[in-house]
Amino acid sequence: SVILVVCTVTSTSQEQVEHDKYLFETIEHLAYSLANKRKCMIQVVGLLDDDVTDAQGIGWSEAITQRVHDSDGPDQEDSSVEVRMLRSAEDLEALDAGLPPGPNLKELHDAVRTSSYLYYLSEARRTKEKLAKITDEKRRRGADTTPDQILPLVIRYCVK
Protein backbone atom coordinates (compact mmCIF):
# COMPACT_ATOMS: atom_id res chain seq x y z
CA SER A 1 0.00 0.00 0.00
CA VAL A 2 2.98 2.32 0.52
CA ILE A 3 6.37 2.41 -1.18
CA LEU A 4 9.14 4.53 0.29
CA VAL A 5 11.71 5.89 -2.15
CA VAL A 6 14.62 7.38 -0.24
CA CYS A 7 17.05 9.77 -1.90
CA THR A 8 19.75 12.19 -0.83
CA VAL A 9 19.41 15.96 -1.19
CA THR A 10 22.80 17.60 -1.62
CA SER A 11 23.90 21.22 -1.84
CA THR A 12 25.82 20.77 -5.11
CA SER A 13 23.58 21.20 -8.13
CA GLN A 14 25.44 18.81 -10.47
CA GLU A 15 25.24 15.96 -7.98
CA GLN A 16 21.59 16.77 -7.22
CA VAL A 17 20.63 16.69 -10.90
CA GLU A 18 22.06 13.17 -11.11
CA HIS A 19 20.20 12.08 -7.94
CA ASP A 20 16.95 13.56 -9.27
CA LYS A 21 17.37 11.78 -12.61
CA TYR A 22 17.59 8.42 -10.84
CA LEU A 23 14.70 9.39 -8.59
CA PHE A 24 12.38 10.11 -11.53
CA GLU A 25 13.46 6.94 -13.32
CA THR A 26 12.57 4.98 -10.20
CA ILE A 27 9.20 6.69 -9.78
CA GLU A 28 8.41 6.16 -13.46
CA HIS A 29 9.35 2.50 -13.25
CA LEU A 30 7.24 2.00 -10.13
CA ALA A 31 4.23 3.78 -11.61
CA TYR A 32 4.51 1.69 -14.77
CA SER A 33 4.93 -1.62 -12.98
CA LEU A 34 2.16 -1.16 -10.40
CA ALA A 35 -1.19 -2.56 -11.48
CA ASN A 36 -3.85 0.04 -12.21
CA LYS A 37 -6.38 -1.75 -10.04
CA ARG A 38 -4.11 -1.53 -7.00
CA LYS A 39 -3.68 1.98 -5.70
CA CYS A 40 -0.32 2.41 -4.05
CA MET A 41 1.07 5.53 -2.43
CA ILE A 42 4.69 6.39 -3.22
CA GLN A 43 6.40 8.42 -0.52
CA VAL A 44 9.57 10.15 -1.70
CA VAL A 45 11.77 10.80 1.31
CA GLY A 46 14.56 13.30 0.76
CA LEU A 47 17.39 12.97 3.27
CA LEU A 48 18.90 16.44 3.58
CA ASP A 49 22.67 16.50 3.91
CA ASP A 50 24.04 18.56 6.79
CA ASP A 51 25.18 21.37 4.48
CA VAL A 52 21.74 21.76 2.83
CA THR A 53 19.77 24.72 4.18
CA ASP A 54 16.06 24.54 4.96
CA ALA A 55 15.35 26.89 2.02
CA GLN A 56 17.22 24.58 -0.37
CA GLY A 57 15.31 21.59 0.99
CA ILE A 58 11.96 23.31 0.58
CA GLY A 59 12.92 24.41 -2.95
CA TRP A 60 13.90 20.83 -3.83
CA SER A 61 10.67 19.45 -2.38
CA GLU A 62 8.52 21.94 -4.31
CA ALA A 63 10.41 21.29 -7.56
CA ILE A 64 10.03 17.52 -7.21
CA THR A 65 6.35 17.82 -6.32
CA GLN A 66 5.71 20.12 -9.31
CA ARG A 67 7.56 17.81 -11.69
CA VAL A 68 5.65 14.75 -10.45
CA HIS A 69 2.30 16.53 -10.81
CA ASP A 70 3.25 17.77 -14.30
CA SER A 71 4.10 14.22 -15.38
CA ASP A 72 0.76 12.93 -14.02
CA GLY A 73 -1.13 15.10 -16.49
CA PRO A 74 -3.80 17.75 -15.97
CA ASP A 75 -6.67 15.26 -15.71
CA GLN A 76 -5.39 13.65 -12.50
CA GLU A 77 -6.36 15.74 -9.52
CA ASP A 78 -4.74 13.63 -6.79
CA SER A 79 -1.31 12.17 -7.27
CA SER A 80 -0.17 8.97 -5.62
CA VAL A 81 3.26 10.51 -4.92
CA GLU A 82 4.07 12.59 -1.85
CA VAL A 83 7.41 14.26 -1.12
CA ARG A 84 8.76 14.55 2.41
CA MET A 85 12.07 15.70 3.86
CA LEU A 86 14.13 14.44 6.77
CA ARG A 87 17.33 15.86 8.19
CA SER A 88 19.85 13.04 8.15
CA ALA A 89 21.58 14.07 11.34
CA GLU A 90 18.61 15.29 13.39
CA ASP A 91 15.76 12.95 12.47
CA LEU A 92 17.59 9.67 12.06
CA GLU A 93 20.36 9.89 14.65
CA ALA A 94 17.89 10.91 17.36
CA LEU A 95 16.36 7.44 17.13
CA ASP A 96 19.76 5.81 17.58
CA ALA A 97 20.33 7.86 20.72
CA GLY A 98 16.93 6.92 22.13
CA LEU A 99 15.56 10.43 21.77
CA PRO A 100 12.00 11.04 20.57
CA PRO A 101 11.63 11.32 16.78
CA GLY A 102 11.35 14.73 15.16
CA PRO A 103 8.10 16.08 13.72
CA ASN A 104 9.04 15.20 10.12
CA LEU A 105 9.63 11.56 10.99
CA LYS A 106 6.36 11.46 12.97
CA GLU A 107 4.50 12.86 9.94
CA LEU A 108 6.04 10.22 7.68
CA HIS A 109 5.11 7.49 10.14
CA ASP A 110 1.53 8.76 10.39
CA ALA A 111 1.20 9.01 6.60
CA VAL A 112 2.42 5.43 6.09
CA ARG A 113 0.17 4.14 8.84
CA THR A 114 -2.91 5.97 7.52
CA SER A 115 -2.27 4.90 3.93
CA SER A 116 -1.83 1.26 4.97
CA TYR A 117 -4.97 1.36 7.08
CA LEU A 118 -7.04 2.81 4.23
CA TYR A 119 -5.66 0.27 1.76
CA TYR A 120 -6.51 -2.74 3.91
CA LEU A 121 -9.90 -1.28 4.80
CA SER A 122 -10.78 -0.92 1.12
CA GLU A 123 -9.50 -4.45 0.39
CA ALA A 124 -11.65 -5.88 3.20
CA ARG A 125 -14.72 -4.06 1.84
CA ARG A 126 -13.98 -5.25 -1.69
CA THR A 127 -13.63 -8.85 -0.47
CA LYS A 128 -16.90 -8.68 1.46
CA GLU A 129 -18.67 -7.34 -1.63
CA LYS A 130 -17.30 -10.16 -3.79
CA LEU A 131 -18.30 -12.80 -1.26
CA ALA A 132 -21.78 -11.30 -1.01
CA LYS A 133 -22.15 -11.37 -4.81
CA ILE A 134 -21.03 -15.00 -4.98
CA THR A 135 -23.38 -16.04 -2.18
CA ASP A 136 -26.33 -14.07 -3.59
CA GLU A 137 -25.83 -15.55 -7.05
CA LYS A 138 -25.79 -19.10 -5.64
CA ARG A 139 -28.93 -18.47 -3.58
CA ARG A 140 -30.69 -16.99 -6.59
CA ARG A 141 -29.93 -20.10 -8.65
CA GLY A 142 -31.04 -22.31 -5.78
CA ALA A 143 -27.61 -23.82 -5.31
CA ASP A 144 -26.14 -24.67 -1.94
CA THR A 145 -23.81 -22.19 -0.33
CA THR A 146 -20.06 -22.64 -0.64
CA PRO A 147 -18.77 -25.69 1.26
CA ASP A 148 -16.48 -24.85 4.17
CA GLN A 149 -13.61 -26.83 2.60
CA ILE A 150 -13.28 -24.49 -0.38
CA LEU A 151 -14.11 -21.25 1.41
CA PRO A 152 -10.37 -20.36 1.81
CA LEU A 153 -9.97 -20.66 -1.97
CA VAL A 154 -12.97 -18.41 -2.55
CA ILE A 155 -11.58 -15.81 -0.14
CA ARG A 156 -8.19 -16.01 -1.87
CA TYR A 157 -9.93 -15.44 -5.21
CA CYS A 158 -11.68 -12.39 -3.77
CA VAL A 159 -8.40 -10.87 -2.60
CA LYS A 160 -6.64 -11.39 -5.94
Side-chain angles (χ1 to χ4, degrees), residues 107-155:
E107 286 177 13
L108 177 62
H109 178 263
D110 290 344
V112 169
R113 177 185 248 169
T114 301
S115 183
S116 296
Y117 169 76
L118 292 175
Y119 171 76
Y120 286 111
L121 181 65
S122 69
E123 287 301 301
R125 287 181 178 152
R126 191 174 65 84
T127 300
K128 283 182 181 180
E129 288 173 6
K130 278 188 176 181
L131 282 173
K133 286 179 184 177
I134 290 171
T135 306
D136 289 345
E137 181 64 27
K138 285 187 174 191
R139 283 190 192 134
R140 197 170 47 83
R141 288 185 294 160
D144 292 334
T145 58
T146 306
D148 290 340
Q149 294 86 352
I150 66 167
L151 196 55
L153 296 175
V154 172
I155 291 172

Side-chain angles (χ1 to χ4, degrees), residues 41-54:
M41 174 63 70
I42 299 174
Q43 292 276 345
V44 176
V45 180
L47 294 178
L48 302 178
D49 280 348
D50 293 336
D51 57 345
V52 175
T53 64
D54 287 339

Side-chain angles (χ1 to χ4, degrees), residues 47-106:
L47 294 178
L48 302 178
D49 280 348
D50 293 336
D51 57 345
V52 175
T53 64
D54 287 339
Q56 287 173 320
I58 291 170
W60 174 84
S61 176
E62 290 173 352
I64 297 296
T65 302
Q66 184 63 42
R67 189 164 168 195
V68 166
H69 288 298
D70 288 347
S71 67
D72 282 345
D75 56 339
Q76 269 192 321
E77 65 271 350
D78 79 83
S79 176
S80 62
V81 178
E82 288 185 11
V83 180
R84 299 186 180 276
M85 296 180 304
L86 295 177
R87 278 242 172 246
S88 307
E90 293 173 17
D91 289 323
L92 300 179
E93 291 175 5
L95 294 176
D96 291 340
L99 299 172
N104 293 340
L105 192 57
K106 282 183 182 180

Side-chain angles (χ1 to χ4, degrees), residues 15-61:
E15 196 175 346
Q16 191 58 51
V17 168
E18 193 172 314
H19 285 287
D20 291 349
K21 177 184 163 211
Y22 291 125
L23 172 65
F24 285 112
E25 286 176 5
T26 302
I27 292 172
E28 234 174 70
H29 176 72
L30 287 171
Y32 178 75
S33 64
L34 293 172
N36 288 336
K37 65 181 181 180
R38 183 175 179 178
K39 183 166 172 35
C40 188
M41 174 63 70
I42 299 174
Q43 292 276 345
V44 176
V45 180
L47 294 178
L48 302 178
D49 280 348
D50 293 336
D51 57 345
V52 175
T53 64
D54 287 339
Q56 287 173 320
I58 291 170
W60 174 84
S61 176

